[in-house]
Structures are given as structure tokens and as C-alpha cells.
Amino acid sequence: EYLAQALRNARLYAAERERARAAEELARLRAAEAAEAAAFEAVGAALGGSLDPPALYALILAQVTRVLPCDHACVAMYDGEGVTFEATWGTPRIAPGTSFPRRALWLPEGRRAPVYVPDALALPGWFAVPPLIGAFHDRSLIAVPLRIDGRAVGSFDVSSRTPHFYTPHHLRLAARFAEHVAQALRNARLYAAERERAAAAEERAAARQEQAEEAEVLSRIGAALGESLDPERLYALILEQAGRVLPGDFAVVALYVDGWATVVAALGDPSPPAGTRLFPAGTDRVWLPDPALPLGYLPDSAAERRWRDLPPWLGADRCRSVISVPLRVDGRVLGHVSFASRVPHAYGERHLRLAGLCAERASQAVRNARLFAAEQARARAAEELVRARDDFVAAVGHELRTPLTAIVGFGELLEARWEATGDAQRRATVRKIVASAHRQRRLVDDLLLLARMDGHAMAVRRARSAIAPAIRQAAEEVRASYPGQQIDLRGPGGLVALADPARLVQVVANLLDNAAKYSPEGSPVAVAWRAEGAWAAIRVRDRGPGIPDAHRGLLFARFGRVPGSRIRAGHVGTGLGLYLSRQLARAMGGDLDLEASGSGGSTFTLRLPLAPDTPPG
């Protein structure tokens, strides 16, 4: 009985101990389940509130270590031919970002389910990752492939230094955590893709906005080019509009004027006023783009040895980045349009393209202004030509009528009083008729000569021509047209030139007629001739008021007449005498020019080549 009671008590005690152990195991399992639930809840909350993969990986590893015993844990990503550790836990710790070749590691990338390695030392080809070697060598390992869209992109690993450490429950936990890691990675990729799409959309919107701004700027410049021909206004508008699409602090349009790069428009603070000379054109001491290139870009002036700081861009206002575009018109560089910034490397490809387009418009403005100025000049020249021809027709009519009136008048007088006049008076009257006829013939000869010049049919005959007789003949013709005119002749009698004798008389007569016509009545005209080297020089000096410097260019122009000139009463100038005389002088191998002019009179010099063997005068 005692033995039976002892056996009964022992069985009751064993059953009680078994119930206690079961209760403890149940409590442990419930606690573990609660911890696992809390861990997965924390991970789920993190997945719903964050899209930062490194932060999520760190949080997941922290929760893993609460419910899954391990010495090390990591998230590794496959990167081409390598493996990179994105997040790690344990001691010693592998630094995030550490990479190893994929061929050097044992990886579960070909598997779909979690892989359990009970003892790494028994696995052929196992590679111990530094610093997990020696005493820190991992023996048990759970590796779960991370799959995105059916493709392994990495793995989630937990390991222990104890072999055969993990149970099937641990594998299930690792698989669940790996799902969360994959979800974090998937969310991050989706977020990154969405950000990329948003950034691309923003870039497209910004590009469309930039294109719209560029189109508006070019449209405004084009409209201004079509509406205005004022170059200064166009330059200012081009710089103003370019400033809307080109970053920078300064802009300037400079044209080459009188050998200097001269400002015609500027933008920015400080800016030089229009007309400021910047530097001599063609200098090699100032950086300028290669004329063979469409434009030049200087990213940083501090690195360019040819760069020269120009006022007012000095000190803090120094130009560091510069775009300079040549202004070309009909293949010639007439200046530059430049854009500058105080910041180095301020411009990109788009800015260079826009600067080139704006400079093209500036070149068009220069071209339009030149065409307009040329058209205005042609219009003025045409008006002046018409006015000169009208004056010429009126003058020719008067010049033709004057000698004709004298011829008719003297002829009628001679006819009416033939019997009452003596031989001397008749001869005097006939001489007056002949002089008037010569005058009219000379005018007709001038008109015919002008017509031949226009038709390129003028010809001269160069022969040995005595200077003195030709000058005396011309003086007699002029005295007949200007009764009482004093003409002083002084020069050697043996001087001979190579010239057309008739044309020589015509040129000297034109010079004398011009001198008498524009001199006060009664003032003398002096003619002097002599040899000067290989030339025969004939000088005709009057006592007129002189010719202003501003009007000297009109003297030898066709129909040219000095405004405000006072002509002797009864005479009219055609504006052809000096023009024809110079053309004839040059056709004979010489020249005609105004030698001196002042308040005391003017001196015209005719030069003709001396004939060979002419004795010195």
C-alpha cells in the first residue's frame, strides 16, 4: 500500500510538473507571438509612413533582432557583377555600402523559398565575409531572396555563430520579414519612378515654358524689325528682350566705328553710355571670338590670358562668363553683341543658341539700317540729280540765249546801219558777233562732250601743243564774253605740253570763264604757267570770296555748284565747266585741282605732261 501510494504521488507530481511546463511554454509562445505581432505591426506602420529605403531597412533589422535570435542580419542588393550591403546589424558590423563580387559569395538568388544553411563550414565554396571571420565566423544562416516582379534583386539574411541554430519557425519569420523588406524596396522604387515621372513632367513643362518665352522674345524682336528702322531703338529692344531668356548682368552692342569698337547700346548696371570707345578694332590684346566661328564663349575670364578688364566692368563688376557673337553683314564683321555675367560658367548650350539667335536679329537690324540709309541716300541723290538737271536746263537755256541774243542783236544793228557805219565799227561789231558765236559753240561743245562721256565715246588727240598761244586764245574768248575783264598772263613762250590743242584751249577757257563769272566785276584774273619737273603747270587765280571747305567736294562734281555763290550779273553757271575740265585734263594724262582758296580768292592748277625736248621755262 505504501509503495502504491508513493507511486501515485510520484505520478501526480509528474503530471503537475508537466502541466506547469505546458503553461510556461504556452505563456512563452504567447509572448513570442505578441512580440512578433508587435514587430510586424511596427514594420507595417513604417512601410505605410516612409519611403526612405535605408531608414526602413534599419527599422526592419531592429525589429528582426527582437523576435529572431541572431548575431548578424543584413539586407544586400545585387548590383551588376557585385553585391552591396545596404543595411547591417550585429558586432562586428559590416559597413553599409561594402561590396563584394557576386562570384565570391554563396547566394540564394536562384531560389524562391528561404534557404537554411545549418553549418556554413560544411558548405563547399563558402566565403566568409570580412570581418565575420575567426571567432566571429557565422555558422548557421537563413537567406531569403528578395524578388521584385519575379526577379531576384537581393537577399535578406540572418545568421548565428552557433551551428544548427534555427528552426522551421525561424525560417517562417525570416520569410515574413523578407516580404516586408521586398515591399519596402518595391514602394521605394515606385516612389522613385513616380518622382522621376514628376521631375520629367516638370522638365517638360519648364522646357515648354522656356520655348514659349523664347518664341515670344524672338517674335517681339521680329515685329520690331518689321516696324522700325531706327537701329539704336532696335539694339536696345534686342538687349532688353534677350535679358528675359539669358541669365547675366551685362549686355552690349558694339560696332566698329573709325577704327574703334564703339558702344551703340548697353544693358545692366553699370553700363557705358552710347558712343563709348571700348578698344581699338583689330587689337590682339582683347579676347574676341574667332571670326571664323559663329560665336565665342569664355566660361571664366580669370583663366584667359588675353582677357582685359574694361571700364566700367571692374572690381566686383568684373565679367567672368562672356558670350560674344560677331555681327556679320554681307560676310563682313561690323561689330559684336556680347552677354556677360559676374558668375563664372554661367551659360550652357541653350544660352549659346539663344545668344546666336539674338545676334542674328541684331545683324538684321544693322543690315536694315544700312539698306534704309542707302535707300535714303539714293533718294536724296536722285532728288539732287533732278534738281541739278532742272537747274542745268534753265542755265543752259540762259547761256544759249545770251550769246544768241548778242549775235542777233549785233547782226540786226549791223544790217540796219551798214551804210552809216565805218569799216572799223563794222569790224568791231563782227568781232562781237564772232565772240558770241564762239561762246555759244563752246557751250554746245560742252554738251556734246558730256554726251560722249556718258556714252564712253570721248577721245582726245595728244600732240605737241604750245601753252602760251592756247592760253592767249582762251583769254580772247573770255574777254569777248566779259567786256573790260582784266586777264593778266605771265609765263614762258616756249613751253610745250603733250595735249589735245583744242581741248587745252577749252579747259583754260573754262577756268577763265569760271574765274570771271564768280569774281567781283572789275577784279583781275591772273594766269601763270611754268615747267615743274616733268609737268607743265598752269595756274588760274581769281579774286573771288573763296570756296568753303564743306563745299569743295561739289566743285568737280557733275552739275556741282557751291550753294550761295554770287555770279556776275548776266551770267548763269551750268555746273559742268570744272567737271568737264578735270575729265579732259585726266584724259590728256594730267589733272586739275583746287590748289588754294581763301577770302582773297582761289587758285586752280592744271597739270599736263611736258613734251619731250621742251626747254626749261
Side-chain angles (χ1 to χ4, degrees):
E1 289 181 2
Y2 286 115
L3 289 173
Q5 184 62 42
L7 181 59
R8 188 181 298 111
N9 290 343
R11 287 187 173 184
L12 288 173
Y13 177 69
E16 185 61 31
R17 288 185 62 188
E18 186 66 27
R19 282 194 297 271
R21 281 196 299 270
E24 289 177 1
E25 180 65 18
L26 179 60
R28 186 186 64 78
L29 290 176
R30 287 179 177 174
E33 289 175 354
E36 292 170 8
F40 287 120
E41 183 180 355
V43 171
L47 287 174
S50 174
L51 290 170
D52 180 19
L56 288 173
Y57 299 153
L59 183 143
I60 291 171
L61 292 184
Q63 296 300 323
V64 165
T65 58
R66 290 178 55 190
V67 298
L68 207 161
C70 61
D71 293 304
H72 296 96
C74 71
V75 176
M77 293 295 169
Y78 303 152
D79 181 16
E81 295 299 321
V83 178
T84 301
F85 291 88
E86 299 288 337
T88 62
W89 179 90
T91 302
R93 185 169 178 248
I94 301 174
T98 302
S99 297
F100 293 95
R102 294 175 69 171
R103 64 179 180 272
L105 300 178
W106 177 88
L107 299 170
E109 54 186 296
R111 312 290 182 88
R112 291 186 173 273
V115 177
Y116 174 43
V117 179
D119 190 351
L121 293 181
L123 186 67
W126 178 262
F127 173 76
V129 176
L132 307 183
I133 57 177
F136 301 106
H137 196 297
D138 287 331
R139 300 288 294 276
S140 298
L141 172 71
I142 298 175
V144 187
L146 298 175
R147 293 186 171 275
I148 302 293
D149 299 329
R151 186 171 63 89
V153 298
S155 67
F156 167 69
D157 304 332
V158 292
S159 59
S160 171
R161 299 189 186 100
T162 304
H164 304 277
F165 183 73
Y166 294 110
T167 67
H169 179 67
H170 295 142
L171 267 68
R172 289 192 293 273
L173 285 177
R176 288 189 64 185
F177 278 112
E179 289 179 2
H180 288 293
V181 173
Q183 184 62 43
L185 180 61
R186 189 178 296 109
N187 291 349
R189 289 194 171 192
L190 290 173
Y191 177 65
E194 185 60 32
R195 288 186 63 184
E196 288 180 2
R197 284 194 294 271
E202 290 179 0
E203 288 181 2
R204 288 193 297 270
R208 286 194 293 269
Q209 179 67 23
E210 289 176 353
Q211 291 172 358
E213 291 179 355
E214 294 171 14
E216 182 182 359
V217 165
L218 297 178
S219 175
R220 289 188 178 183
I221 295 175
L225 288 173
E227 294 173 0
S228 174
L229 289 170
D230 178 10
E232 285 74 16
R233 176 179 176 276
L234 289 173
Y235 300 146
L237 183 140
I238 289 170
L239 294 184
E240 176 186 354
Q241 293 300 318
R244 296 179 53 195
V245 292
L246 281 172
D249 300 296
F250 315 111
V252 65
V253 176
L255 298 181
Y256 297 146
V257 180
D258 297 332
W260 283 82
T262 305
V263 175
V264 294
L267 186 69
D269 185 17
S271 289
T276 301
R277 289 182 167 186
L278 297 177
F279 52 83
T283 180
D284 58 354
R285 297 185 177 181
V286 178
W287 177 84
L288 286 173
D290 186 342
L293 299 177
L295 59 80
Y297 174 43
L298 186 61
D300 189 355
S301 62
E304 173 57 50
R305 63 176 181 80
R306 289 183 301 154
W307 179 258
R308 175 185 171 192
D309 289 335
L310 300 172
W313 304 295
L314 304 172
D317 295 318
R318 183 185 188 188
C319 301
R320 294 292 298 275
S321 301
V322 182
I323 303 175
S324 187
V325 188
L327 293 177
R328 301 179 188 275
V329 176
D330 299 329
R332 293 179 57 230
V333 176
L334 302 181
H336 289 82
V337 56
S338 301
F339 305 93
S341 171
R342 298 185 181 96
V343 180
H345 304 278
Y347 299 106
E349 290 296 329
R350 170 177 172 263
H351 303 133
L352 299 182
R353 178 177 59 81
L354 288 173
L357 292 175
C358 292
E360 285 180 9
R361 272 59 178 183
S363 295
Q364 185 64 43
V366 175
R367 187 179 297 107
N368 290 351
R370 290 198 160 201
L371 290 174
F372 180 64
E375 186 60 32
Q376 283 187 319
R378 282 194 295 270
R380 286 194 298 269
E383 291 175 0
E384 291 175 0
L385 181 61
V386 170
R387 183 167 55 252
R389 285 182 175 176
D390 290 343
D391 294 344
F392 170 71
V393 170
V396 166
H398 182 276
E399 288 289 309
L400 286 174
R401 282 194 300 271
T402 299
L404 186 59
T405 300
I407 292 171
V408 172
F410 286 125
E412 290 177 347
L413 178 64
L414 187 60
E415 181 183 20
R417 302 184 61 183
W418 180 266
E419 298 296 338
T421 57
D423 289 343
Q425 191 173 0
R426 290 192 194 111
R427 291 190 182 93
T429 303
V430 170
R431 282 197 298 271
K432 291 178 181 179
I433 293 173
V434 171
S436 297
H438 281 307
R439 179 181 177 185
Q440 189 171 36
R441 185 187 65 186
R442 189 168 65 250
L443 180 58
V444 172
D445 288 344
D446 285 348
L447 295 176
L448 293 175
L449 180 61
L450 179 64
R452 284 196 292 273
M453 285 182 178
D454 289 340
H456 305 287
M458 184 185 73
V460 296
R461 179 177 61 88
R462 296 180 65 186
R464 294 176 62 88
S465 302
I467 299 294
I471 293 176
R472 292 190 186 98
Q473 180 180 345
E476 288 300 323
E477 291 183 9
V478 173
R479 287 193 185 100
S481 299
Y482 297 88
Q485 176 65 51
Q486 181 181 349
I487 302 177
D488 298 331
L489 306 179
R490 181 166 54 87
L495 199 61
V496 179
L498 280 178
D500 187 317
R503 299 302 185 191
L504 175 58
V505 173
Q506 183 178 358
V507 171
V508 176
N510 280 340
L511 291 175
L512 291 173
D513 182 84
N514 190 72
K517 186 183 300 180
Y518 291 99
S519 297
E521 190 167 358
S523 61
V525 174
V527 183
W529 61 95
R530 65 178 182 177
E532 293 182 355
W535 301 93
I538 304 172
R539 291 180 173 82
V540 177
R541 177 177 175 80
D542 60 40
R543 293 293 184 268
I547 300 165
D549 291 341
H551 297 145
R552 288 194 177 193
L554 298 173
L555 287 177
F556 299 100
R558 180 184 293 199
F559 310 129
R561 297 171 65 185
V562 176
S565 298
R566 298 183 63 181
I567 298 177
R568 187 179 296 191
H571 297 270
V572 178
T574 62
L576 282 178
L578 290 177
Y579 169 76
L580 292 174
S581 296
R582 171 175 275 186
Q583 298 304 313
L584 288 172
R586 291 178 175 176
M588 291 185 289
D591 204 355
L592 174 64
D593 207 349
L594 175 65
E595 184 173 294
S597 182
S599 58
S602 301
T603 300
F604 289 87
T605 301
L606 170 64
R607 295 183 185 277
L608 294 171
L610 283 173
D613 304 326
T614 300

